[in-house]
Amino acid sequence: MTDQMMMNVKPNQLMKATLQTETSTMVLLLLLLQLLSPLLLSCVAASAGPPRHLPPCQVVQMDVFCSDRSLRSAPVDLPQGVQLLDLSCNQVQNLTRETLAYHTGFYHLNLHANRIHFIQPGLFRDMTELKVLDLSKNHLSVFALSKVSIGPLTAVESLDLSGNGLYTGMSEYFLEESPSLVNLSLNSNSITKIAQNTFSGSSSLEKISLHNNVILEIEDGAFDSLRHLTELDLSKNSITCITDFNLYNLKVLNLSKNSMELFHSASSSQLYNLLNLDLSENKMLYFPFLPRTNVLQYLDVSRNHIQSFNVSGNPEKRANVFLTQLQYLDMSYNRLKTIPETFFCFMRSLEVLNVSNNCIGSFSLTVEGLLPTVKIINLSFNSLQTLTFGENSLPSLEKLFLQGNDLTTLDHHVFQKLPSIKYLQLQQNNLKICDSQQSPYDPELTEQNQVNPPDCVSLSSVRSLHFLYLSENNLQNLPANAFANTPLKLLDLSLNPGLDMDKDSLRGLEHSLVHLLLRENNISSLHTDLSLLQSLKHVDLSTNQLTSLPVWNRESSIESLNLQNNNLVTLDSSTMVALEHSLKTLYMGSNPLNCCSNLGFLNMVQRLAVVVPDIETVTCVHEDFSEPVNIEKLTEGMCQASSNSAYVVVVVVLVLLVVTMVVALLVKRRRSRKRKPNISFRA
């Protein structure tokens, strides 16, 4: 509006326009206030509400526990002489003398999971009794940016700095004045490099954990100054190789979950004290080059890409290492196709050998006394076609895992050559069982096996065997005396559809067998008399086609019986009575039971004489109901009413029949009278 135009506007008009503008503004403000007032009131109410009730710190003698109480500092009324203070999971941000209520006599200080990003310089100088300091899961990377040391930590022996976002070069500010430090955790940080001077101020270290960082490089000599170091955890990093490993005093080394392609020890005759080496979950193509003079007891190279026992693929550089103290060797989940028998030379202390989940086609141990102490061998899930054991080559073997190999042909008496075998897992193969009467085991007659089918294996006279798993073997026949003189406690024959068991197939197990598993075999009836198995306590017959119960008498010791998913309509009352004195658990779900034909079973359930874990799925068919009835809802009255009504129906039908017959007779007699001719006599 120009000056000339402004002069033409009258004062009272200008005032009127101003008032109208102010009125409109006030109206808008009132409307806005009216809309926001509920929100403001709720905020005020929330702020004015009572604070979250937190219990006071717990004091036990000279230990104070204040974990998870939303504290920003220690309580001011701490007892004098407090030794342990737990302030974990609180809201401490600045760690100062005031934060700790000016106490300095701590032995153990736990500040885990706070928000600490500042530490007062010299705070720990006067804490000459402090042995354990936990600063894990804070924000100490912010403090480290100031490049100020928190030291000295003159007496601290255990320090936890894990989960603080520390990266390369930051840990030195916490370690450079820690002469007594023994145990250090730097887990779950962002460290990429271990420098030569990283631990120079902590020469007493015995245990270092650097798990879950991003370590790519370890400078030469980074651990050389640590003469007392015995445990080093470098797992879950990005290390690609270890060359010239020379930590002679180290006892435990964990390099699992890296990207290791090579592990090579220094060529030295000096004794290595390493006891435990974990190289699992890496990318090694060859067996590691281990210290030649060693006392190694535990070696895990599982989940690598190992194909050969040669070092770096050079046939002339074989891993000829004497592992005389080795007790546990895990080479599972690799790409091994064969293991030469010579590999096990000088492993006379080995107790556990795991080579499962490889590509091994043949496995042979024939040299007498080669592995005298081995107790467990796991060859499961390979490609085994041949398996050979020599006499006395495995005198101590107790457990042998062979499942998932598709084995079809074995030496008939391969398992009789294992004098201590207790547990044999043969699941998921294609074995056939020899008849023991046709093939009595005699070591001197091993060449006379022509009487046997060429593709069967003998499981009789394995005199120490207690647990045998033969499920999923496509077994069609189980001959008589299949396990004679083998004191089995558990026998699993499940998942062999169409299995035909001879009536004497379990003979010889009368006094030993406790567990029998026959589930999913498509069995319609059992020819084998289970009542002869006097020690049998647990039987699984689920998911078959059974129409009747196996016969048991009062001598039965059955405690658990699984009959789920069969075709049982009526449970034989005499068998149920015979079982009742010992039976504790019965699975009966998914059977087409007849309600009123199984009142004995109903009474057993109602008296709580037996536990039916799947009672909710146990139903029966009742002619008065269109849907199956849950056995818990069935009463004897329902069956009596049904029988009474049936009786009435029968009586009515009989009466009608009698009446019909009487009427028919009367009608017949009447008709005959009508047809009779009139006879007259004349004199």
Side-chain angles (χ1 to χ4, degrees):
M1 190 178 290
T2 62
D3 294 342
Q4 184 65 34
M5 291 175 66
M6 285 290 293
M7 290 181 66
N8 292 332
V9 177
K10 296 181 180 179
N12 55 350
Q13 290 178 333
L14 184 61
M15 186 178 295
K16 185 177 180 180
T18 304
L19 286 171
Q20 288 177 346
T21 303
E22 290 178 353
T23 302
S24 300
T25 303
M26 288 295 292
V27 169
L28 288 173
L29 287 172
L30 286 171
L31 288 172
L32 185 61
L33 185 61
Q34 187 176 1
L35 290 171
L36 293 176
S37 58
L39 181 61
L40 292 170
L41 288 172
S42 64
C43 292
V44 171
S47 62
R52 183 166 69 98
H53 176 70
L54 294 169
C57 296
Q58 183 181 4
V59 180
V60 180
Q61 294 181 346
M62 302 310 295
D63 298 340
V64 180
F65 301 91
C66 301
S67 180
D68 194 19
R69 283 166 170 80
S70 299
L71 299 174
R72 294 183 179 274
S73 64
V76 295
D77 56 348
L78 287 177
Q80 289 299 319
V82 60
Q83 293 185 349
L84 182 150
L85 175 60
D86 183 356
L87 274 174
S88 61
C89 304
N90 280 291
Q91 299 179 13
V92 178
Q93 296 183 15
N94 298 315
L95 190 56
T96 64
R97 292 182 178 87
E98 183 180 9
T99 305
L100 300 176
Y102 298 97
H103 287 265
T104 58
F106 300 114
Y107 173 87
H108 186 151
L109 187 56
N110 187 352
L111 293 157
H112 164 78
N114 277 275
R115 303 173 183 175
I116 300 171
H117 58 265
F118 172 77
I119 299 176
Q120 184 177 352
L123 174 65
F124 303 105
R125 186 183 304 276
D126 298 327
M127 296 187 188
T128 56
E129 302 297 323
L130 185 62
K131 302 291 185 183
V132 181
L133 177 58
D134 189 344
L135 290 166
S136 60
K137 205 172 180 182
N138 279 282
H139 304 305
L140 295 183
S141 58
V142 178
F143 170 78
L145 292 173
S146 65
K147 299 184 178 181
V148 176
S149 171
I150 67 165
L153 301 174
T154 53
V156 173
E157 296 178 357
S158 178
L159 176 62
D160 193 341
L161 296 169
S162 58
N164 271 288
L166 301 174
Y167 50 86
T168 302
M170 286 186 167
S171 56
E172 286 87 331
Y173 301 117
F174 303 93
L175 305 176
E176 61 185 10
E177 296 179 275
S178 307
S180 302
L181 193 59
V182 172
N183 190 341
L184 171 65
S185 176
L186 285 164
N187 296 341
S188 303
N189 281 290
S190 300
I191 300 169
T192 58
K193 178 181 178 181
I194 306 297
Q196 277 188 341
N197 63 338
T198 299
F199 307 109
S200 59
S202 308
S203 58
S204 298
L205 276 169
E206 296 179 8
K207 182 178 179 180
I208 300 174
S209 183
L210 287 154
H211 168 79
N212 193 26
N213 277 273
V214 205
I215 297 172
L216 293 161
E217 180 184 357
I218 301 175
E219 285 190 354
D220 290 340
F223 301 103
D224 287 355
S225 63
L226 305 178
R227 301 299 179 185
H228 306 286
L229 186 64
T230 57
E231 294 187 37
L232 178 59
D233 187 351
L234 290 165
S235 59
K236 202 174 181 182
N237 279 283
S238 302
I239 302 169
T240 56
C241 67
I242 296 289
T243 57
D244 295 325
F245 170 69
N246 63 351
L247 300 179
Y248 300 104
N249 294 323
L250 201 64
K251 293 184 177 180
V252 179
L253 175 59
N254 190 345
L255 282 162
S256 63
K257 299 180 181 179
N258 277 275
S259 299
M260 298 265 301
E261 297 179 1
L262 176 69
F263 181 90
H264 202 294
S265 302
S267 298
S268 170
S269 59
Q270 186 174 343
L271 176 65
Y272 283 78
N273 290 310
L274 193 63
L275 297 173
N276 188 316
L277 176 59
D278 191 344
L279 295 168
S280 61
E281 296 189 55
N282 280 284
K283 298 179 180 179
M284 295 189 301
L285 295 174
Y286 308 103
F287 197 76
F289 188 84
L290 301 170
R292 186 171 296 275
T293 309
N294 66 81
V295 290
L296 197 63
Q297 295 180 0
Y298 177 103
L299 176 60
D300 189 346
V301 291
S302 62
R303 298 182 185 276
N304 277 274
H305 302 157
I306 297 175
Q307 303 176 30
S308 169
F309 294 102
N310 298 338
V311 179
S312 303
N314 187 343
E316 297 181 358
K317 288 188 176 182
R318 295 183 180 274
N320 291 331
V321 178
F322 299 154
L323 297 171
T324 57
Q325 306 297 316
L326 192 65
Q327 297 176 15
Y328 180 97
L329 175 58
D330 190 345
M331 297 189 291
S332 60
Y333 291 94
N334 277 284
R335 300 175 183 175
L336 293 169
K337 293 183 178 179
T338 184
I339 303 178
E341 201 163 343
T342 55
F343 173 74
F344 298 110
C345 291
F346 309 107
M347 290 190 188
R348 298 185 61 83
S349 299
L350 192 65
E351 295 183 3
V352 178
L353 172 63
N354 187 353
V355 287
S356 63
N357 292 276
N358 277 277
C359 308
I360 301 171
S362 175
F363 187 81
S364 176
L365 290 172
T366 58
V367 178
E368 183 173 351
L370 183 64
L371 293 174
T373 59
V374 163
K375 295 181 180 179
I376 300 173
I377 294 180
N378 191 340
L379 282 159
S380 60
F381 300 104
N382 275 280
S383 303
L384 280 180
Q385 294 181 345
T386 60
L387 179 69
T388 306
F389 296 134
E391 295 289 341
N392 299 317
S393 61
L394 293 166
S396 301
L397 186 66
E398 295 180 359
K399 294 184 178 182
L400 178 59
F401 297 85
L402 293 168
Q403 68 266 32
N405 272 290
D406 201 28
L407 284 167
T408 56
T409 305
L410 291 175
D411 169 22
H412 292 317
H413 299 122
V414 64
F415 300 122
Q416 283 85 354
K417 296 175 183 178
L418 305 174
S420 301
I421 191 71
K422 294 180 180 179
Y423 182 105
L424 182 55
Q425 174 60 268
L426 289 168
Q427 181 181 359
Q428 295 178 355
N429 284 286
N430 278 291
L431 296 172
K432 295 180 180 178
I433 312 302
C434 298
D435 187 334
S436 67
Q437 291 182 342
Q438 294 180 338
S439 56
Y441 176 60
D442 185 343
E444 297 178 359
L445 300 175
T446 53
E447 296 181 359
Q448 299 181 13
N449 286 333
Q450 290 82 0
V451 296
N452 295 298
D455 56 350
C456 76
V457 63
S458 173
L459 290 169
S460 62
S461 298
V462 188
R463 300 186 184 278
S464 59
L465 187 61
H466 290 160
F467 302 90
L468 176 59
Y469 296 84
L470 284 163
S471 61
E472 296 183 79
N473 262 275
N474 294 317
L475 285 174
Q476 298 299 313
N477 298 289
L478 194 64
N481 305 297
F483 312 106
N485 300 314
T486 298
L488 293 178
K489 294 181 179 179
L490 182 148
L491 176 60
D492 187 356
L493 294 165
S494 304
L495 293 153
N496 288 293
L499 176 64
D500 183 15
M501 298 174 63
D502 187 274
K503 64 182 181 63
D504 294 323
S505 60
L506 302 181
R507 178 174 290 180
L509 302 179
E510 291 86 356
H511 303 291
S512 65
L513 194 63
V514 177
H515 300 263
L516 177 61
L517 288 74
L518 289 165
R519 68 183 185 278
E520 297 188 51
N521 280 328
N522 202 29
I523 297 173
S524 58
S525 61
L526 275 174
H527 304 301
T528 304
D529 188 355
L530 301 185
S531 65
L532 299 176
L533 303 173
Q534 299 173 19
S535 298
L536 192 61
K537 292 185 178 180
H538 308 282
V539 181
D540 188 349
L541 288 162
S542 60
T543 317
N544 281 289
Q545 303 293 326
L546 290 175
T547 56
S548 61
L549 288 178
V551 177
W552 276 291
N553 52 39
R554 282 194 169 274
E555 304 301 320
S556 166
S557 57
I558 302 294
E559 294 181 2
S560 174
L561 177 59
N562 192 338
L563 295 167
Q564 289 177 320
N565 294 297
N566 276 282
N567 291 330
L568 294 169
V569 175
T570 302
L571 305 179
D572 183 71
S573 58
S574 61
T575 301
M576 296 305 294
V577 170
L579 286 173
E580 187 173 354
H581 80 283
S582 64
L583 193 62
K584 297 178 181 177
T585 306
L586 176 63
Y587 294 85
M588 277 298 304
S590 301
N591 276 284
L593 295 173
N594 181 282
C595 291
C596 298
S597 299
N598 294 288
L599 295 179
F601 172 56
L602 173 64
N603 291 332
M604 186 185 294
V605 173
Q606 291 177 343
R607 292 197 314 272
L608 300 178
V610 64
V611 176
V612 184
D614 62 341
I615 191 69
E616 294 182 357
T617 64
V618 182
T619 60
C620 60
V621 179
H622 194 291
E623 59 184 12
D624 292 343
F625 299 91
S626 58
E627 296 292 332
V629 180
N630 186 273
I631 198 73
E632 287 186 300
K633 298 178 181 179
L634 184 68
T635 64
E636 289 189 31
M638 293 167 64
C639 290
Q640 289 173 356
S642 178
S643 62
N644 290 337
S645 61
Y647 176 75
V648 170
V649 169
V650 171
V651 170
V652 170
V653 169
L654 288 174
V655 169
L656 288 174
L657 285 173
V658 170
V659 170
T660 303
M661 290 174 64
V662 170
V663 170
L665 287 171
L666 290 172
V667 170
K668 186 175 182 181
R669 181 174 294 181
R670 191 169 182 180
R671 286 180 178 174
S672 63
R673 284 179 178 177
K674 286 181 178 181
R675 292 176 183 172
K676 196 171 184 180
N678 293 327
I679 302 174
S680 59
F681 298 94
R682 292 182 180 178

